Amino acid sequence: MTTALHRRTFLAATGAGLAGILAARTAPAFAQGTKLHIVRWVDFIPEADVELKRQAPEASKALGAEVTFEFINANDLQPRITAAIQSGSGADIIQMLWNWPHLYANALVDVSDVADPIGRSQGGFYDIFSSSAKVGGKWLSVPHGVGANAVAYRRSLFNEIGAKEFPKTWDEYREVGKKLKAKGKPVGQALGHSFGDPPTFAYPFLWDFGGAEVDKTGKKVMINSKGAIEAVKFLQAFWKDACDEGGLAWDDTNNNRAFHAGEIGATLNGASIYIVAKRQKDKLKDDKGEPLFQDIEHAPLMPKGPAGQFALYLPFQHSVMKYSKNQKLAKDFLKWLHQDANYGKWFEVNEGYSVGSTKKWEESPMWGRIDKPLQTFRRAAGASLMLGHPGPATAKATEAYTKYIIVDMFAKGVQGTKAEDAVKWAESELKKIYEG
Amino acid sequence: MSKPIAGGAGSAADVVALPRARSASPSGMTRFLESERLLAVMLLAPTVLLLGVFIAYPFVMGVWLSLSNTSVGNPGQFVGLKNFVKAWNDSIFRTAFWNTSVYTFWATIFKLALGMWLAVLLNRHFRGKRLVRASMLLPFIVPTVLSTFAWRWMFDPTFSVLNWLLYRGGFIVTKVPFLSDGLYGLWCAIAVNTWRGMPFFAITLLAGLQTISPDLHEAASLDGANGWKRFWHVTWPLLKPVTLVVVVFSIIQTFSDFQLIYVLTGGGPANSTHLLATYAYQIGVATGLLGEGAAISLFMLPVLFLVVWVQLRYLRRLEGA
């Protein structure tokens, strides 16, 4: 069916529109039709993306420009960034994980004028961000949140094998893991090429045994050490005795699915396993038909190794791209996003999966309302080290991470390569990056 | 009655004179329009432009990148063959090169053998022949990413339906590490590639089979040749040129394959299933070392050039014989 548009109807309609604009007496802040395009990962908490999408029209109204979000697989973020920078076109704001701003420093806008006031007014950013988002004293990304990890485990299974609490040391965990594997519910650990779970396990595990990729200066490769060899040797045994050996091919999503399906008894992960289990409590049940989330406990850190107990959490931040024609608008949007009223809603939807980027959010009343296992994450962000530790988190550290050298060193070991050879391989790869 | 033309039979009154040719030289525009050379240039221009923009420019750009230290956001400087030397000394590159060769060799052999078998079967007359021929093309028609995702689910380390079937059937007691072991992973990729590429072989060889005159088979049968002998002495020699062309295409596509490995294994575990294309992508696009990534991908060029050259020479010799 077609509707004829008569001249008078047209004049009446457009006349009313113009009258409305004139009556408002405010010119839009940006040229009409201006769009702001933001690319982020697909969140493990789907409601977090829903909340951002819900906020988009509010932001559009406040800024006088059309704000649109695009969510892509986290593993596709880096290829997307490379393509955007090289072609000089793409999203105005792109989410940066880890210390990626170091790698893309030449293509990012200095956003210190946005980040500094946020940090100052909110009790300061966590230390992790001065390593990840600050390059040469300038903020090249506005810190947005931290995806902290914990070991999610099944309380009932641990009780059945006589483990009243989460093991304190790696040796104890190996014994617990053996019993779990014997019950057909092994420890699940991703050790494939994926952005989050494999590195958040491999790096702290290396540090726990006294290994490190470089020295404090970040210039000398130190991986070929007793600590690193011991770490690989321990993982070879731990993998065989306690783990689901399919983990070599896992990405960040596999352990969530395996845990929810009751295939594994414990895994290192963010709060998403618990949150999704609770939000889908009618679907995700344990062997007795009870909601699975009621059986999930969180150990705040992985067990302790001979050299200590370390953590590596995933920092999230937003960068404004230099090629963007809407840099001011992008900065205004980031200021808007971090206003308490807006940020707070997104933060609460996360229920601890993504904690705040500033210490202020530790005091949010949300922490009193959420379940006890989720409260583990309240102050977790302060404990995290960064890629390249004990050296600075430079672009070289990002390159080593992006090539999965530390992850692959362990993966080679559990696939049967001699520990010493796996470490030597990592040494030669790291030397090409740091000393080449 | 039609009028005779001048010089023909008929009375003088009936004669019609032909228009006299113009004595003046043709105008510039006419010369321009009638110039064959110009016409050729004009007709070729769109093709040359398309080839230049979409083939030559990216190729030249790739060569330049491979000779520079360009990284994401940083314009590079000329570094000569440094990236090629670095790649050659890189253990992951060597693994990727080996994997690419193994993957291409076996996948092509399987596709050829199974495709030929399928083509010979489909060349017979049976009920529902058209339906079978059409459905056979499905693996080739479905987008690679989509079908590979389905295979990934079937090989999933935790929820593999194949493991489930093998376990239920009493064939295994522990899971087969389809994707969590490098060797298994590569063979899984070869299997998926064969599944996907076999229809291309089958349909092309089938077209070749249909050009072979049934009289030749009939004559061979009368001479007492059995099925195998008929295939070996009649079908195969006549099918050789088509087969060589299909094999060349397949080698080019398989050697530079990216999507299948990227989706199925991502090059893992521990880089053990990387092909040259996926490794070049990881270094060039994911890590942002564009110069090094370009050098890795350019290693494919001499290999493919050699394969094509050898096979085309052989093809020419066959045609000449």
Side-chain angles (χ1 to χ4, degrees):
Chain A
M1 196 183 95
T2 55
T3 310
L5 181 66
H6 299 288
R7 189 177 59 88
R8 284 184 185 172
T9 321
F10 173 78
L11 285 174
T14 51
L18 284 171
I21 291 170
L22 290 173
R25 289 188 179 185
T26 50
F30 299 94
Q32 205 175 13
T34 305
K35 289 181 180 175
L36 189 74
H37 181 191
I38 302 127
V39 166
R40 283 175 54 87
W41 75 335
V42 176
D43 208 301
F44 276 75
I45 304 298
E47 293 81 358
D49 290 344
V50 172
E51 173 57 23
L52 288 176
K53 268 195 219 162
R54 191 199 62 75
Q55 289 188 13
E58 290 176 10
S60 303
K61 202 174 161 193
L63 300 169
E66 190 186 337
V67 175
T68 53
F69 282 99
E70 184 188 354
F71 303 101
I72 64 170
N73 185 318
N75 281 321
D76 293 332
L77 276 172
Q78 282 197 286
R80 183 70 175 264
I81 295 168
T82 301
I85 293 172
Q86 289 308 115
S87 65
S89 66
D92 303 287
I93 296 174
I94 303 185
Q95 185 185 35
M96 298 274 156
L97 311 182
W98 299 112
N99 65 336
W100 295 355
H102 288 261
L103 194 62
Y104 308 118
N106 286 351
L108 308 180
V109 173
D110 179 359
V111 286
S112 302
D113 53 338
V114 180
D116 276 331
I118 294 171
R120 266 199 307 273
S121 64
Q122 298 189 7
F125 291 114
Y126 289 108
D127 289 346
I128 188 176
F129 288 112
S130 45
S131 301
S132 68
K134 221 171 184 178
V135 183
K138 292 176 189 166
W139 290 102
L140 294 188
S141 248
V142 179
H144 187 239
V146 180
N149 266 359
V151 182
Y153 64 96
R154 296 277 299 276
R155 195 187 307 111
S156 63
L157 289 174
F158 273 56
N159 284 340
E160 281 172 34
I161 58 167
K164 298 292 171 210
E165 59 179 6
F166 190 77
K168 288 193 168 54
T169 66
W170 279 106
D171 286 324
E172 285 173 27
Y173 195 27
R174 185 177 163 190
E175 290 309 312
V176 166
K178 266 185 197 172
K179 291 176 187 164
L180 286 173
K181 196 167 181 174
K183 282 180 78 68
K185 308 284 179 190
V187 174
Q189 178 56 54
L191 214 53
H193 284 186
S194 194
F195 72 96
D197 290 342
T200 51
F201 167 79
Y203 281 83
F205 185 79
L206 174 69
W207 300 331
D208 286 355
F209 283 79
E213 56 184 303
V214 282
D215 67 358
K216 280 183 181 172
T217 65
K219 287 177 181 159
K220 191 169 167 45
V221 173
M222 298 289 286
I223 192 75
N224 198 353
S225 63
K226 190 170 169 280
I229 293 169
E230 287 306 312
V232 177
K233 279 184 179 167
F234 184 89
L235 192 64
Q236 286 171 324
F238 183 71
W239 200 260
K240 204 173 158 203
D241 292 347
C243 292
D244 183 329
E245 289 165 63
L248 279 164
W250 284 8
D251 62 20
D252 279 71
T253 62
N254 287 75
N255 63 336
N256 295 53
R257 285 200 300 269
F259 197 101
H260 287 149
E263 294 285 324
I264 53 175
T267 188
L268 180 71
N269 204 63
S272 56
I273 284 181
Y274 185 94
I275 295 170
V276 172
K278 189 175 178 187
R279 290 179 186 175
Q280 297 181 18
K281 61 184 175 205
D282 296 331
K283 240 168 65 182
L284 300 173
K285 307 260 173 110
D286 64 12
D287 304 338
K288 294 170 199 146
E290 297 295 321
L292 181 69
F293 83 93
Q294 293 172 357
D295 193 31
I296 300 174
E297 203 62 71
H298 282 135
L301 289 170
M302 292 199 295
K304 197 175 173 182
Q309 198 171 23
F310 300 91
L312 177 69
Y313 300 142
L314 178 56
F316 304 112
Q317 47 250 323
H318 290 120
S319 285
V320 177
M321 310 306 288
K322 262 190 189 163
Y323 59 71
S324 167
K325 293 189 177 81
N326 302 313
Q327 293 179 12
K328 185 181 177 309
L329 172 62
K331 285 184 178 184
D332 287 351
F333 168 75
L334 290 173
K335 285 177 195 164
W336 184 92
L337 188 73
H338 282 268
Q339 284 172 12
D340 284 2
N342 306 319
Y343 187 89
K345 284 174 195 153
W346 173 83
F347 172 79
E348 295 213 358
V349 165
N350 269 285
E351 286 195 321
Y353 175 73
S354 192
V355 300
S357 54
T358 55
K359 289 165 192 165
K360 170 187 172 165
W361 296 98
E362 287 179 12
E363 307 312 322
S364 163
M366 179 203 75
W367 294 109
R369 291 196 299 269
I370 60 175
D371 295 350
K372 199 165 164 275
L374 294 174
Q375 292 178 11
T376 306
F377 299 96
R378 185 171 186 167
R379 298 182 206 284
S384 179
L385 300 173
M386 193 23 63
L387 303 171
H389 170 79
T394 58
K396 290 181 187 296
T398 328
E399 190 181 327
Y401 150 81
T402 312
K403 289 179 170 172
Y404 297 102
I405 293 171
I406 301 301
V407 172
D408 283 346
M409 176 182 79
F410 287 113
K412 275 177 174 286
V414 296
Q415 280 193 112
T417 304
K418 230 174 119 194
E420 287 82 357
D421 293 340
V423 172
K424 262 187 207 158
W425 170 83
E427 184 185 32
S428 73
E429 291 299 316
L430 289 170
K431 277 188 171 170
K432 282 181 217 163
I433 296 170
Y434 284 99
E435 299 171 14
Chain B
M1 198 184 98
S2 61
K3 291 176 181 177
I5 60 167
S11 66
D14 290 337
V15 170
V16 176
L18 282 172
R20 214 189 287 170
R22 280 182 197 172
S23 56
S25 61
S27 71
M29 181 56 83
T30 311
R31 270 207 314 274
F32 178 79
L33 289 172
E34 286 182 355
S35 161
E36 282 191 8
R37 186 177 289 183
L38 202 75
L39 183 68
V41 169
M42 279 172 67
L43 290 175
L44 278 173
T47 313
V48 170
L49 190 73
L50 283 174
L51 287 175
V53 172
F54 295 110
I55 307 282
Y57 174 72
F59 177 73
V60 172
M61 194 65 189
V63 173
W64 155 245
L65 282 174
S66 72
L67 300 171
S68 74
N69 59 359
T70 307
S71 64
V72 59
N74 301 308
Q77 289 170 329
F78 181 75
V79 293
L81 296 175
K82 196 178 163 194
N83 292 330
F84 291 92
V85 175
K86 192 175 177 185
W88 193 250
N89 293 324
D90 176 3
S91 61
I92 307 172
F93 169 82
R94 288 201 294 268
T95 306
F97 196 91
W98 173 250
N99 287 345
T100 310
S101 307
V102 170
Y103 177 73
T104 307
F105 179 80
W106 286 111
T108 307
I109 295 279
F110 290 144
K111 281 186 281 192
L112 177 61
L114 294 171
M116 181 73 81
W117 177 60
L118 202 58
V120 171
L121 284 180
L122 290 174
N123 199 30
R124 294 178 180 182
H125 293 287
F126 57 91
R127 232 173 147 188
K129 189 172 72 176
R130 284 183 185 172
L131 189 73
V132 173
R133 280 184 186 176
S135 55
M136 182 197 72
L137 280 173
L138 272 176
F140 196 61
I141 295 165
V142 177
T144 310
V145 171
L146 204 65
S147 57
T148 309
F149 260 115
W151 280 100
R152 198 170 95 169
W153 268 105
M154 288 194 270
F155 292 133
D156 189 90
T158 314
F159 304 104
S160 166
V161 68
L162 297 174
N163 267 331
W164 185 83
L165 285 172
L166 291 170
Y167 181 77
R168 289 277 162 169
F171 298 106
I172 55 170
V173 285
T174 53
K175 290 174 187 167
V176 180
F178 289 117
L179 301 180
S180 49
D181 179 282
L183 195 60
Y184 277 91
L186 194 60
W187 280 102
C188 286
I190 290 170
V192 178
N193 185 287
T194 304
W195 170 83
R196 193 190 169 277
M198 191 176 60
F200 174 66
F201 272 76
I203 211 77
T204 317
L205 294 174
L206 181 63
L209 281 176
Q210 291 187 340
T211 62
I212 300 172
S213 165
D215 296 349
L216 294 171
H217 281 280
E218 220 172 288
S221 295
L222 288 173
D223 288 342
N226 61 15
W228 170 248
K229 280 187 175 168
R230 283 204 305 276
F231 173 79
W232 192 244
H233 295 291
V234 178
T235 311
W236 176 241
L238 291 170
L239 211 54
K240 235 190 239 176
V242 179
T243 310
L244 276 173
V245 171
V246 183
V247 167
V248 170
F249 276 137
S250 173
I251 289 177
I252 293 169
Q253 281 180 347
T254 315
F255 202 83
S256 56
D257 198 2
F258 170 80
Q259 300 175 71
L260 200 151
I261 287 285
Y262 183 73
V263 175
L264 196 68
T265 66
N271 300 309
S272 53
T273 59
H274 261 311
L275 301 184
L276 285 176
T278 53
Y279 187 48
Y281 178 82
Q282 186 180 312
I283 298 296
V285 183
T287 310
L289 301 170
L290 295 156
E292 291 182 27
I296 292 166
S297 64
L298 272 179
F299 266 100
M300 283 188 261
L301 189 69
V303 178
L304 291 178
F305 185 80
L306 191 71
V307 170
V308 172
W309 184 72
V310 167
Q311 299 211 15
L312 287 180
R313 256 180 79 95
Y314 187 63
L315 197 63
R316 205 166 289 165
R317 201 184 300 163
L318 273 181
E319 283 169 351

